Every structure is written in C-alpha cells, then in structure tokens.
Amino acid sequence: MNYELISSKLNEKFSTNQNQLNTSTAGDPYFLINKEQLLPICQYLKENEELWFNFLKLITAVDQGDKFSSVYHLYSYKYEFGITLKVDLEKTNPVVDSLCGLYKAANWLERECYDLMGIIYKGHPDLRRILLPLDWQGYPLRKDYVAPTEYNGIDNT
Amino acid sequence: MDSNKAKNLEQILESSIKDPKDLTRYLYYRKKLKEEGLSDFISILPLGAAINWARANSVWPLTFGIACCAIEMMAVGASKFDLDRFGSGVFRATPRQTDLMIVAGTVTYKLAPRIKKLYEQMPSPKYVIAMGACASSGGPYTQLGYQVIKGVDKIIPVDVYIPGCPPRPEALIDAVLLLQDKISKTIPQQEAI
Amino acid sequence: MQTDSLHTEELLVNMGPQHPSTHGVLRLVVKTDGESVQETLPLIGFLHRSFEKIAETLTYKQVVPYTDRLDYLSSMNNSLAYCLAIEKLANLEVPERASILRVITAELNRIASHLLAFGSYALDLGAYTPFLYSFRERELILSIFEKISGGRLLYHYNRIGGVARDINIDIISEIGQFIDIMRKKLNEYNELVTENLIFIKRTANIGLISMSDAINYGVTGPCLRASGLKYDLRKVHPYSLYEKFNFDVPIGQGLKGQIGDCFDRYWVRLKEIEESLKIVEQALDLLREGEIRTKISANLKLPAGEVYVPCENPRGELGFYIISDGKPNALRVKVRAPSFCNLSILDPTCRNTLFADVVSIVGSIDIVLGEVDR
C-alpha cells in the first residue's frame, strides 16, 4: 500500500484532474479533493477491499488567511497506512458534507470544528457548540478573532 | 522564642474577655490550675477561643479538583503527605458539610456559575484556598486564554493563595496551617455562640 | 411507560461538574427510567484552556511546557509527541542517548498513569485501600522524576532536539530498585483487587464495547486492545528507538466475563505495567555515553508543510498535526486527543444498564479532562 496505488485507484474511479496528490511541501503529502466529491470518495475508501480505511483519526479546521480548509486523516488497520484529505472552502460560506453516516467518530469531531472555526457540516444530526458555552459569540480560532473582556457580568481584564 | 509566643498567646486570650468579672474569674482559675500542677491536662479558655480551637483543627475540605493541581491535592490526601493528621482528612463530596473549598485548577467562564453556586451552598463560616497559579491569577493562560478567568477571586473571596504550577504538596499543607492560624485569630460571631 | 397498572416517568439526573470521582470536571446528564439508564449526555468544555490558539501565537519552543498540561498525568508522553512532530518536519536528528532517556521516562510515566487509573477506579467502586497502595508506589516514581527533571507532576523535560538534563548512576540504581519493588507489589494488587469477588461482580460483563464499534467511534489505546484488536503504535510504527525493545502487547481475553467489558480494560492496564517494566529494564542496559540534545537555532523556523505524528499515550493515540508556513510560529496546531474520542462511546455503551454501572464504565474508559477540553 502506498500513495501511488491510492492515487491511481482514485483517479480511475473519479475524474482525474481534480484529485491531486500534493508532495511539493515538506512533511507528509496530502490529497486535495473537491468538496462535492468528499462523501463518495470517503465511502469508496472505506468500503473498497484493497483500501479499507475504516478509522477516522482526526478532522481539523484550518484558517489559511484567504480560505478555510477541512482536513481529514484516515487510517487503515488492515494495511497499516494513513492518508490525509484536504477540502478547501470559501470564507463567506463554509459548508461541507458531514461524514456522520460513515464514521460515528465524526459526530464529536465535526462539532468541535463548528464550535471553534464556524464550518457548517450539512447533514450533521446535532450541530451545536461542544467546548465553549452555548451562548458564546464568535469563533475563536479564526485569525481575526478578538477575545471578549467580559462575559455574563464577570469582568476579566 | 517559645516562652515569648506563650506569653503573647496569654495576652491575646486575656484581652478577648470583655467583662472584668469574667476576667478575674479566668485569671483565678488559671492560676489555681498551675498551682495544682494540672495545667498539662486541663486547659481553661474563654468561650470564643475554645470555639476557634475546635473549628481550626477540623477544617473539612470539599473535593473540587479541576485540573492538574487536583492530582497534587489527591497526593496530599494519600499516605506520604498525610493531611488527616491536621484534621482535614475528611474530603466531603457535598458542599453542605464542608468548611473549606480548595479551588485546584484553572477556572473558566463555563465553570464560573457552578463555583459561585457551590460557594453559596456552603454554610458559614467558610474559607477558600486558591491553589496554584491558575486559580490565583490565571496562571500560564493569563494573556492568551480567551475562556480563562484571571483568578478565582473575581468570583468568590479567597483567604489563602498558593503559588506554583503545580505547588508541592508541602505548600498545600503550609496553606492549611496558615488558614488554621487565621481561624484561631478571628472573633467568632455572637449569633454562633 | 406503563407496566400493568404502574405508571412511571423518565427522570433526568445531573452528575454535575463537581462529583466525587477523580476524573475531573465532566458533566453527565443521565435520563433514567427507574434504575435503568436510557440515555447519557456528556457535556464537556469546563476546562477549555485554548491550547490551540496559544500554540498559534507563541513560538515552537515556547509551546512545549503547554503540551505537558494537556493530559497532566502523562506529561512526558505529551511533550515527546510534540517534539517528535517538530523534529520530523525540521528533519532533526536526535542522539541515541536522548532517545533511550525519552523511552525510559515515557514508560515510567505510563506506569505512574496506569497506577493512578487503577487506584481511582477502585476508589470509584468503593474500595479505599487500593488508592493508598497505588499512591505509595506512585510516590517512588515521582521522586525519581524529581531527581531527573525537578518537577513532580509537570516536567518540561523533553525538548526539541533531545532532553533537558542527563541522568547519573544514583538515579539509575534507584530506577533498578523501583523495578524490583513494583514487580512484587503487582502480586499484591492482583490478590487485593483482581481476584476480589465484589470487584469482579461490578466489572465483568458490564460496558461491553465490540471491536467494530470501537473502531467506528475512533477509540484507541487500552480500550481498543481490551476489545480484541492487537494494535500498539510502538510496535506498528515505532518511534524513538522502540524497535529495539522486546515486549508483548496484552489484549482483552474475557477472563472473567466477555471480551471488551470493564474488567478487560482494567486487566489490560495492569498487564501493561508489567510490559513497561520490561522495557525500562532493557533500556537501562542499552544506555551508552553520548550527547543528550542536538543544537537548534535560537529562533527555530520550520519549512512550509504539514506533518501528523501519532504516539502511544497511556490513554490512546495522541497525535499532533502541525501546519507551518515558514514563520517562527505555527499556522495551525491540532491535538488529536485520545480521551475525546474515547468519551464519545460512553452514550451507546451505557444504554439499558443500571445507574451504578455508569460510574463503573466511566472509570474503566479512563479519561482525563485536560485533554478532552484542551
């Protein structure tokens, strides 16, 4: 199992010019995929006999200055191999499909990304804040966030 | 040093008795006990001092560990740094039966209303120890934490502050002893007697 | 619901953020029908200290002490994972003596963490003595750590490029003595707790987690191994010279009940203490003279790119996902906390159990709120 095998299998099943393997930067390579194709690609990766990515490790929300990204780390226990999928979203309307139907681990991980970055996951059964209080204003991990000096009467300077 | 401290203590006890008739009676019985050689076994105290002695030596804490300092609080309750020998070994889970709340850990906005509620549920006289840097003033998260309250004294009044991240168990024992000193110097409320 | 002519209603019980078990500020709202639990709702976030925002603002070296405070019971393992991630992205070579020292401290911290999990689990179920016994052994480890690094609970010992201080012959002999004492005490724990009929009745056949459920919910660590999957990151993707050590990976075998129950999770942790003692013994033999830290520049800048490095923590897989764009501070640091995903399996596991079993299940999953909330 290696990146070329996965890349070739993805390219033969889905269209070729939209799923590129990015190896230009240092560190780990990642697959940059189209946000409409996220759910079918993940389903294929999970159910195909030669790939079998049955473990969703991590969902990350990244603020890259001019756009958001939702990054997924998948892992296969059978072949002991992990990959990274990255989906780019625009800042004004960050909406992407939810993976809750495939992996139950996505439930809490996506709620955390919504809570801290404000990315909306379509199809999530229960999208509300998980770490911050329910009436918190704003999304802290965005680069333009300003922390409040007072909350519910407790002055915090 | 010891005899100075003992004389000091006697002066404090004498000055706490207001009625001159009570004062002469107290001095007479104290002298009598010393003459008979019984002052090692029987002690005579004004009522306020006796109540303070009882309260100071049985301060029961509330189990309120929030973060890393809670582990050091558990270590103080275990056998190497035993807190039970100072009378504070009984950690109660309900605030209605405790005198002391040891706030061990970082206080956030989400937890603040609960702390206030627990403090109000404790019966008077009640005391608070802010354990660790986070509870005293926000700790390492002061400048950049957006949900961290800079010290638990923004919500409830604190009696003793312990610095450290986390403080050693000996520091917590020192704080409890300081608190016992503070309790024995207070004048108990008239209604309580 | 109506049984014959008896009308019952559902009751919402709040196990609030302050409760007498030692797992921290977790709030559970439990919907019960009489004594049997219908639904459990864990509410977290009471300890959210914004580690990820801090890690974006400070430089890489300044963030290392904050990683200690994530899972405060295994702080050597946390800082090891972070330092390995930065060393992978920056392509730094760590000297061999530093790697062996990292392994020794990480395994000793694993033993200390499992001892506390054992003691507090027994305390939750009503037994006070195992708590005192496990803390007595934990104090031996903490005094070793105090001689090595200066701290009892949070050490700041692993640094980028190696470790902070070297150890000498006194500390090595103290570690050797501790290994002998711990081996004898494990027999004592087995007699006191593992073979105890009351403990077995409260933990066997309770809180069953099947292997497919565990993988789907993202459970890792001893909870996954207790459900039957033989997977340990130290064997499959070894880091920091773990490939040189000889140890076994215990999995749940359903000794007193079925595979994947609370007793299995407890038993796997106890067996892991034995395996860690073996690793520390072998590491002390492999220790040779050498450097303890490679030199790094005063303001370290990483090349643009991203990296994800997982490590085997006492609670599961801790991973650091670091994205860098060439500046002295990171663009994004994300922590993959094992207790966060382990806690999400609480609700389906607690369906249709008795109320007292909820305490037993929460204790056996062994969460630490510092890393759930970050």
Side-chain angles (χ1 to χ4, degrees):
Chain A
M1 166 80 77
N2 51 19
Y3 285 108
E4 282 76 33
L5 173 69
I6 306 171
S7 197
S8 64
K9 285 185 100 64
L10 279 182
N11 284 336
E12 78 181 63
K13 178 100 178 157
F14 303 93
S15 54
T16 45
N17 55 356
Q18 288 178 356
N19 309 316
Q20 322 114 326
L21 178 62
N22 183 319
T23 47
S24 54
T25 51
D28 298 337
Y30 59 87
F31 285 91
L32 192 64
I33 60 179
N34 208 351
K35 77 174 187 186
E36 273 87 36
Q37 292 190 316
L38 173 69
L39 207 46
I41 287 184
C42 287
Q43 189 153 12
Y44 176 67
L45 287 172
K46 183 179 181 202
E47 289 164 3
N48 185 292
E49 296 280 327
E50 293 173 30
L51 297 175
W52 212 266
F53 283 96
N54 54 357
F55 177 29
L56 173 67
K57 272 194 188 182
L58 186 60
I59 301 181
T60 314
V62 187
D63 179 352
Q64 279 169 343
D66 51 347
K67 56 183 181 314
F68 287 160
S69 308
S70 189
V71 187
Y72 302 84
H73 282 85
L74 297 171
Y75 188 82
S76 165
Y77 275 121
K78 188 169 175 193
Y79 298 104
E80 287 164 5
F81 196 77
I83 59 167
T84 313
L85 305 173
K86 201 183 265 210
V87 176
D88 277 339
L89 310 164
E90 66 240 24
K91 257 193 146 158
T92 47
N93 187 21
V95 181
V96 72
D97 286 324
S98 159
L99 292 183
C100 280
L102 291 174
Y103 303 98
K104 302 222 181 69
N107 197 327
W108 275 28
L109 290 168
E110 287 174 353
R111 271 178 74 183
E112 188 196 336
C113 291
Y114 165 69
D115 186 7
L116 295 177
M117 192 69 90
I119 296 182
I120 307 208
Y121 290 90
K122 234 178 352 181
H124 193 282
D126 184 24
L127 196 66
R128 57 194 161 95
R129 289 196 182 264
I130 187 171
L131 292 179
L132 290 169
L134 287 173
D135 57 352
W136 192 268
Q137 304 293 329
Y139 300 107
L141 279 179
R142 296 193 177 182
K143 297 289 180 186
D144 50 2
Y145 179 73
V146 174
T149 53
E150 197 228 24
Y151 172 77
N152 270 358
I154 305 174
D155 173 41
N156 198 10
T157 44
Chain B
M1 190 63 193
D2 261 338
S3 64
N4 268 345
K5 207 171 169 186
K7 265 196 221 128
N8 225 353
L9 196 60
E10 287 182 3
Q11 280 171 359
I12 294 177
L13 288 175
E14 281 169 33
S15 59
S16 72
I17 305 177
K18 300 294 177 234
D19 195 349
K21 271 196 287 190
D22 284 337
L23 185 60
T24 42
R25 216 181 314 154
Y26 169 67
L27 289 170
Y28 168 71
Y29 279 115
R30 200 173 71 186
K31 202 175 67 156
K32 202 82 176 36
L33 278 178
K34 259 202 211 115
E35 281 167 11
E36 308 265 333
L38 286 172
S39 56
D40 279 341
F41 307 103
I42 305 180
S43 159
I44 184 159
L45 295 169
L47 185 58
I51 294 180
N52 279 343
W53 170 81
R55 279 191 182 146
N57 288 307
S58 73
V59 183
W60 287 5
L62 174 69
T63 63
F64 196 46
I66 309 174
C68 348
C69 286
I71 309 294
E72 292 292 49
M73 193 167 72
M74 282 158 61
V76 174
S79 30
K80 186 168 178 185
F81 309 95
D82 190 11
L83 196 56
D84 203 358
R85 47 196 167 133
F86 302 106
S88 300
V90 193
F91 278 80
R92 309 303 291 174
T94 159
R96 308 262 184 211
Q97 296 169 356
T98 59
D99 315 286
L100 169 68
M101 181 152 99
I102 304 182
V103 182
T106 323
V107 179
T108 58
Y109 280 134
K110 204 166 180 180
L111 193 58
R114 274 87 178 178
I115 299 187
K116 188 114 180 80
K117 193 169 186 183
L118 283 170
Y119 181 72
E120 286 166 2
Q121 282 179 338
M122 285 166 61
S124 296
K126 50 193 172 184
Y127 308 96
V128 174
I129 291 184
M131 177 176 179
C134 290
S136 305
S137 69
Y141 303 96
T142 309
Q143 278 182 337
L144 298 166
Y146 44 77
Q147 217 208 159
V148 168
I149 295 185
K150 301 185 188 359
V152 77
D153 54 2
K154 296 209 183 280
I155 319 173
I156 55 179
V158 173
D159 293 296
V160 185
Y161 297 85
I162 313 179
C165 189
R168 280 195 63 103
E170 287 97 339
L172 180 57
I173 296 181
D174 184 39
V176 171
L177 290 177
L178 270 178
L179 187 68
Q180 288 184 353
D181 262 344
K182 180 175 180 176
I183 296 176
S184 18
K185 292 202 180 79
T186 55
I187 303 172
Q189 305 285 339
Q190 282 298 110
E191 308 91 64
I193 301 175
Chain C
M1 94 164 229
Q2 273 182 291
T3 336
D4 298 322
S5 58
L6 199 61
H7 172 74
T8 61
E9 274 179 8
E10 282 178 345
L11 178 67
L12 277 177
V13 179
N14 177 46
M15 288 172 71
Q18 184 259 345
H19 60 97
S21 70
T22 50
H23 303 289
V25 275
L26 169 69
R27 180 174 176 213
L28 289 175
V29 177
V30 185
K31 198 189 281 187
T32 71
D33 172 33
E35 191 69 23
S36 106
V37 172
Q38 303 299 313
E39 197 183 322
T40 319
L41 187 65
L43 296 165
I44 57 177
F46 294 97
L47 198 51
H48 179 61
R49 297 185 278 197
S50 58
F51 168 77
E52 296 174 0
K53 189 83 184 173
I54 290 175
E56 287 175 20
T57 322
L58 300 175
T59 63
Y60 295 106
K61 280 203 271 194
Q62 287 174 324
V63 174
V64 181
Y66 286 90
T67 59
D68 278 345
R69 284 146 177 86
L70 282 175
D71 171 5
Y72 35 84
L73 293 174
S74 57
S75 91
M76 292 283 191
N77 303 66
N78 299 347
S79 49
L80 174 62
Y82 184 74
C83 292
L84 284 174
I86 298 205
E87 284 154 12
K88 182 172 175 187
L89 193 53
N91 234 343
L92 283 173
E93 178 88 29
V94 175
E96 190 177 319
R97 188 176 168 93
S99 289
I100 307 270
L101 284 175
R102 280 174 168 182
V103 166
I104 294 177
T105 49
E107 292 304 314
L108 282 176
N109 212 340
R110 189 184 309 265
I111 300 174
S113 171
H114 282 327
L115 276 175
L116 197 141
F118 159 77
S120 63
Y121 189 40
L123 187 64
D124 284 348
L125 298 179
Y128 189 53
T129 316
F131 173 75
L132 294 174
Y133 282 16
S134 71
F135 261 76
R136 177 190 59 189
E137 265 71 71
R138 214 178 110 89
E139 291 291 336
L140 297 174
I141 302 183
L142 294 188
S143 85
I144 294 175
F145 278 146
E146 207 181 343
K147 293 194 173 83
I148 297 180
S149 71
R152 278 172 49 97
L153 191 70
L154 305 167
Y155 317 108
H156 191 30
Y157 182 62
N158 288 317
R159 310 283 174 100
I160 302 177
V163 294
R165 281 177 213 86
D166 210 345
I167 67 175
N168 53 20
I169 194 71
D170 294 328
I171 302 177
I172 295 179
S173 70
E174 193 171 336
I175 299 179
Q177 282 170 5
F178 165 73
I179 296 177
D180 294 327
I181 295 177
M182 192 69 218
R183 285 217 166 103
K184 293 198 199 91
K185 295 296 181 187
L186 277 175
N187 295 333
E188 206 176 276
Y189 297 164
N190 280 331
E191 269 178 33
L192 193 64
V193 180
T194 317
E195 304 291 329
N196 190 319
L197 188 62
I198 303 178
F199 185 79
I200 294 173
K201 274 204 181 299
R202 283 216 60 185
T203 53
N205 285 323
I206 288 173
L208 292 161
I209 301 179
S210 65
M211 200 197 312
S212 59
D213 259 350
I215 297 179
N216 210 350
Y217 275 90
V219 174
T220 50
C223 297
L224 181 64
R225 290 197 275 281
S227 296
L229 183 66
K230 189 163 183 151
Y231 182 83
D232 189 327
L233 272 165
R234 299 172 287 171
K235 286 270 193 199
V236 178
H237 300 288
Y239 51 91
S240 182
L241 294 182
Y242 265 108
E243 61 266 14
K244 293 196 177 177
F245 298 105
N246 223 354
F247 60 100
D248 194 20
V249 174
I251 57 170
Q253 284 160 13
L255 283 179
K256 305 282 182 192
Q258 296 174 293
I259 295 186
D261 58 7
C262 292
F263 184 83
D264 266 349
R265 291 191 275 279
Y266 152 83
W267 188 83
V268 162
R269 286 193 184 102
L270 220 52
K271 280 284 167 204
E272 280 189 4
I273 297 182
E274 280 177 44
E275 303 299 326
S276 292
L277 287 170
K278 274 192 225 165
I279 298 179
V280 176
E281 238 178 2
Q282 293 168 35
L284 287 176
D285 285 332
L286 274 180
L287 208 52
R288 300 277 174 273
E289 293 294 319
E291 294 280 312
I292 53 168
R293 194 173 178 189
T294 46
K295 268 209 155 327
I296 53 173
S297 67
N299 62 338
L300 177 71
K301 285 201 176 81
L302 297 183
E306 59 184 57
V307 69
Y308 174 74
V309 170
C311 281
E312 184 77 26
N313 244 26
R315 274 161 193 85
E317 171 187 325
L318 176 76
F320 277 91
Y321 176 51
I322 302 183
I323 306 182
S324 135
D325 56 353
K327 297 210 194 87
N329 52 339
L331 176 71
R332 177 82 166 99
V333 173
K334 170 86 179 179
V335 181
R336 196 262 173 205
S339 302
F340 188 74
C341 300
N342 289 1
L343 189 55
S344 61
I345 208 174
L346 185 68
D347 188 20
T349 316
C350 286
R351 300 274 161 112
N352 290 325
T353 57
L354 296 177
F355 197 93
D357 293 337
V358 174
V359 173
S360 183
I361 296 172
V362 169
S364 74
I365 297 182
D366 190 25
I367 51 171
V368 165
L369 267 297
E371 68 180 356
V372 171
D373 291 339
R374 272 155 279 143

PDB file of all heavy atoms in Angstrom, chain B residues 89-107:
ATOM      1  N   GLY B  89      -8.628  15.568  56.963  1.00  0.00           N
ATOM      2  CA  GLY B  89      -8.550  14.419  56.081  1.00  0.00           C
ATOM      3  C   GLY B  89      -9.857  14.008  55.469  1.00  0.00           C
ATOM      4  O   GLY B  89      -9.884  13.255  54.514  1.00  0.00           O
ATOM      5  N   VAL B  90     -10.980  14.490  55.994  1.00  0.00           N
ATOM      6  CA  VAL B  90     -12.276  14.015  55.523  1.00  0.00           C
ATOM      7  C   VAL B  90     -12.697  14.901  54.362  1.00  0.00           C
ATOM      8  O   VAL B  90     -13.229  15.983  54.561  1.00  0.00           O
ATOM      9  CB  VAL B  90     -13.314  14.103  56.656  1.00  0.00           C
ATOM     10  CG1 VAL B  90     -14.523  13.341  56.286  1.00  0.00           C
ATOM     11  CG2 VAL B  90     -12.719  13.591  57.929  1.00  0.00           C
ATOM     12  N   PHE B  91     -12.497  14.432  53.131  1.00  0.00           N
ATOM     13  CA  PHE B  91     -12.923  15.207  51.965  1.00  0.00           C
ATOM     14  C   PHE B  91     -14.384  14.874  51.685  1.00  0.00           C
ATOM     15  O   PHE B  91     -14.700  13.752  51.309  1.00  0.00           O
ATOM     16  CB  PHE B  91     -12.073  14.838  50.741  1.00  0.00           C
ATOM     17  CG  PHE B  91     -10.751  15.537  50.700  1.00  0.00           C
ATOM     18  CD1 PHE B  91      -9.677  15.087  51.450  1.00  0.00           C
ATOM     19  CD2 PHE B  91     -10.573  16.648  49.905  1.00  0.00           C
ATOM     20  CE1 PHE B  91      -8.456  15.733  51.397  1.00  0.00           C
ATOM     21  CE2 PHE B  91      -9.356  17.299  49.855  1.00  0.00           C
ATOM     22  CZ  PHE B  91      -8.296  16.844  50.597  1.00  0.00           C
ATOM     23  N   ARG B  92     -15.252  15.831  51.844  1.00  0.00           N
ATOM     24  CA  ARG B  92     -16.663  15.563  51.606  1.00  0.00           C
ATOM     25  C   ARG B  92     -17.012  15.893  50.170  1.00  0.00           C
ATOM     26  O   ARG B  92     -16.460  16.802  49.575  1.00  0.00           O
ATOM     27  CB  ARG B  92     -17.541  16.430  52.531  1.00  0.00           C
ATOM     28  CG  ARG B  92     -17.182  16.384  53.956  1.00  0.00           C
ATOM     29  CD  ARG B  92     -17.198  15.009  54.527  1.00  0.00           C
ATOM     30  NE  ARG B  92     -18.541  14.476  54.625  1.00  0.00           N
ATOM     31  CZ  ARG B  92     -18.800  13.224  54.991  1.00  0.00           C
ATOM     32  NH1 ARG B  92     -17.824  12.410  55.241  1.00  0.00           N
ATOM     33  NH2 ARG B  92     -20.031  12.809  55.083  1.00  0.00           N
ATOM     34  N   ALA B  93     -17.978  15.187  49.636  1.00  0.00           N
ATOM     35  CA  ALA B  93     -18.384  15.458  48.255  1.00  0.00           C
ATOM     36  C   ALA B  93     -19.464  16.506  48.167  1.00  0.00           C
ATOM     37  O   ALA B  93     -19.636  17.136  47.140  1.00  0.00           O
ATOM     38  CB  ALA B  93     -18.887  14.177  47.609  1.00  0.00           C
ATOM     39  N   THR B  94     -20.207  16.729  49.239  1.00  0.00           N
ATOM     40  CA  THR B  94     -21.295  17.698  49.163  1.00  0.00           C
ATOM     41  C   THR B  94     -20.897  18.976  49.889  1.00  0.00           C
ATOM     42  O   THR B  94     -20.278  18.922  50.945  1.00  0.00           O
ATOM     43  CB  THR B  94     -22.579  17.115  49.780  1.00  0.00           C
ATOM     44  OG1 THR B  94     -23.425  18.192  50.125  1.00  0.00           O
ATOM     45  CG2 THR B  94     -22.262  16.328  51.014  1.00  0.00           C
ATOM     46  N   PRO B  95     -21.205  20.151  49.327  1.00  0.00           N
ATOM     47  CA  PRO B  95     -20.769  21.387  49.982  1.00  0.00           C
ATOM     48  C   PRO B  95     -21.478  21.684  51.278  1.00  0.00           C
ATOM     49  O   PRO B  95     -21.021  22.510  52.055  1.00  0.00           O
ATOM     50  CB  PRO B  95     -21.073  22.473  48.948  1.00  0.00           C
ATOM     51  CG  PRO B  95     -22.080  21.890  48.053  1.00  0.00           C
ATOM     52  CD  PRO B  95     -21.848  20.435  48.043  1.00  0.00           C
ATOM     53  N   ARG B  96     -22.601  21.008  51.549  1.00  0.00           N
ATOM     54  CA  ARG B  96     -23.339  21.342  52.756  1.00  0.00           C
ATOM     55  C   ARG B  96     -22.639  20.902  54.021  1.00  0.00           C
ATOM     56  O   ARG B  96     -23.026  21.278  55.108  1.00  0.00           O
ATOM     57  CB  ARG B  96     -24.716  20.679  52.732  1.00  0.00           C
ATOM     58  CG  ARG B  96     -25.486  20.939  51.481  1.00  0.00           C
ATOM     59  CD  ARG B  96     -26.452  22.031  51.658  1.00  0.00           C
ATOM     60  NE  ARG B  96     -27.261  22.210  50.475  1.00  0.00           N
ATOM     61  CZ  ARG B  96     -27.753  23.376  50.108  1.00  0.00           C
ATOM     62  NH1 ARG B  96     -27.515  24.428  50.822  1.00  0.00           N
ATOM     63  NH2 ARG B  96     -28.499  23.471  49.030  1.00  0.00           N
ATOM     64  N   GLN B  97     -21.610  20.038  53.897  1.00  0.00           N
ATOM     65  CA  GLN B  97     -20.977  19.501  55.101  1.00  0.00           C
ATOM     66  C   GLN B  97     -19.539  19.950  55.227  1.00  0.00           C
ATOM     67  O   GLN B  97     -18.787  19.393  55.998  1.00  0.00           O
ATOM     68  CB  GLN B  97     -20.993  17.969  55.058  1.00  0.00           C
ATOM     69  CG  GLN B  97     -22.390  17.417  55.074  1.00  0.00           C
ATOM     70  CD  GLN B  97     -22.385  15.949  54.776  1.00  0.00           C
ATOM     71  OE1 GLN B  97     -21.340  15.373  54.494  1.00  0.00           O
ATOM     72  NE2 GLN B  97     -23.527  15.341  54.822  1.00  0.00           N
ATOM     73  N   THR B  98     -19.127  20.962  54.444  1.00  0.00           N
ATOM     74  CA  THR B  98     -17.706  21.326  54.434  1.00  0.00           C
ATOM     75  C   THR B  98     -17.520  22.751  54.932  1.00  0.00           C
ATOM     76  O   THR B  98     -18.452  23.538  54.967  1.00  0.00           O
ATOM     77  CB  THR B  98     -17.141  21.262  53.016  1.00  0.00           C
ATOM     78  OG1 THR B  98     -17.888  22.159  52.199  1.00  0.00           O
ATOM     79  CG2 THR B  98     -17.243  19.890  52.460  1.00  0.00           C
ATOM     80  N   ASP B  99     -16.229  23.048  55.324  1.00  0.00           N
ATOM     81  CA  ASP B  99     -15.905  24.428  55.682  1.00  0.00           C
ATOM     82  C   ASP B  99     -14.991  25.063  54.668  1.00  0.00           C
ATOM     83  O   ASP B  99     -14.839  26.266  54.638  1.00  0.00           O
ATOM     84  CB  ASP B  99     -15.127  24.496  56.999  1.00  0.00           C
ATOM     85  CG  ASP B  99     -15.698  23.619  58.052  1.00  0.00           C
ATOM     86  OD1 ASP B  99     -16.730  23.959  58.577  1.00  0.00           O
ATOM     87  OD2 ASP B  99     -15.064  22.607  58.339  1.00  0.00           O
ATOM     88  N   LEU B 100     -14.296  24.234  53.877  1.00  0.00           N
ATOM     89  CA  LEU B 100     -13.190  24.765  53.084  1.00  0.00           C
ATOM     90  C   LEU B 100     -13.355  24.327  51.649  1.00  0.00           C
ATOM     91  O   LEU B 100     -13.671  23.184  51.374  1.00  0.00           O
ATOM     92  CB  LEU B 100     -11.879  24.208  53.648  1.00  0.00           C
ATOM     93  CG  LEU B 100     -10.603  24.406  52.858  1.00  0.00           C
ATOM     94  CD1 LEU B 100     -10.239  25.840  52.838  1.00  0.00           C
ATOM     95  CD2 LEU B 100      -9.498  23.612  53.500  1.00  0.00           C
ATOM     96  N   MET B 101     -13.154  25.229  50.717  1.00  0.00           N
ATOM     97  CA  MET B 101     -13.153  24.859  49.307  1.00  0.00           C
ATOM     98  C   MET B 101     -11.759  25.126  48.755  1.00  0.00           C
ATOM     99  O   MET B 101     -11.306  26.262  48.749  1.00  0.00           O
ATOM    100  CB  MET B 101     -14.184  25.712  48.555  1.00  0.00           C
ATOM    101  CG  MET B 101     -14.281  25.381  47.106  1.00  0.00           C
ATOM    102  SD  MET B 101     -15.880  25.723  46.440  1.00  0.00           S
ATOM    103  CE  MET B 101     -15.645  27.239  45.672  1.00  0.00           C
ATOM    104  N   ILE B 102     -11.089  24.062  48.327  1.00  0.00           N
ATOM    105  CA  ILE B 102      -9.751  24.234  47.748  1.00  0.00           C
ATOM    106  C   ILE B 102      -9.945  24.271  46.239  1.00  0.00           C
ATOM    107  O   ILE B 102     -10.220  23.255  45.623  1.00  0.00           O
ATOM    108  CB  ILE B 102      -8.824  23.067  48.127  1.00  0.00           C
ATOM    109  CG1 ILE B 102      -8.763  22.909  49.631  1.00  0.00           C
ATOM    110  CG2 ILE B 102      -7.449  23.325  47.593  1.00  0.00           C
ATOM    111  CD1 ILE B 102      -7.840  21.803  50.065  1.00  0.00           C
ATOM    112  N   VAL B 103      -9.837  25.429  45.636  1.00  0.00           N
ATOM    113  CA  VAL B 103     -10.023  25.546  44.191  1.00  0.00           C
ATOM    114  C   VAL B 103      -8.706  25.193  43.530  1.00  0.00           C
ATOM    115  O   VAL B 103      -7.776  25.978  43.533  1.00  0.00           O
ATOM    116  CB  VAL B 103     -10.450  26.975  43.806  1.00  0.00           C
ATOM    117  CG1 VAL B 103     -10.672  27.064  42.326  1.00  0.00           C
ATOM    118  CG2 VAL B 103     -11.701  27.358  44.545  1.00  0.00           C
ATOM    119  N   ALA B 104      -8.637  23.990  42.986  1.00  0.00           N
ATOM    120  CA  ALA B 104      -7.372  23.498  42.449  1.00  0.00           C
ATOM    121  C   ALA B 104      -7.492  23.382  40.948  1.00  0.00           C
ATOM    122  O   ALA B 104      -8.021  22.415  40.443  1.00  0.00           O
ATOM    123  CB  ALA B 104      -7.043  22.140  43.059  1.00  0.00           C
ATOM    124  N   GLY B 105      -7.019  24.380  40.217  1.00  0.00           N
ATOM    125  CA  GLY B 105      -7.063  24.262  38.773  1.00  0.00           C
ATOM    126  C   GLY B 105      -7.540  25.548  38.125  1.00  0.00           C
ATOM    127  O   GLY B 105      -7.862  26.526  38.789  1.00  0.00           O
ATOM    128  N   THR B 106      -7.611  25.516  36.786  1.00  0.00           N
ATOM    129  CA  THR B 106      -7.971  26.705  36.034  1.00  0.00           C
ATOM    130  C   THR B 106      -9.470  26.913  36.054  1.00  0.00           C
ATOM    131  O   THR B 106     -10.236  25.981  35.843  1.00  0.00           O
ATOM    132  CB  THR B 106      -7.537  26.533  34.567  1.00  0.00           C
ATOM    133  OG1 THR B 106      -6.314  25.857  34.523  1.00  0.00           O
ATOM    134  CG2 THR B 106      -7.393  27.867  33.906  1.00  0.00           C
ATOM    135  N   VAL B 107      -9.908  28.148  36.248  1.00  0.00           N
ATOM    136  CA  VAL B 107     -11.330  28.468  36.274  1.00  0.00           C
ATOM    137  C   VAL B 107     -11.701  29.086  34.934  1.00  0.00           C
ATOM    138  O   VAL B 107     -11.038  30.007  34.477  1.00  0.00           O
ATOM    139  CB  VAL B 107     -11.619  29.463  37.419  1.00  0.00           C
ATOM    140  CG1 VAL B 107     -13.062  29.807  37.443  1.00  0.00           C
ATOM    141  CG2 VAL B 107     -11.210  28.859  38.728  1.00  0.00           C
TER     142      VAL B 107
END
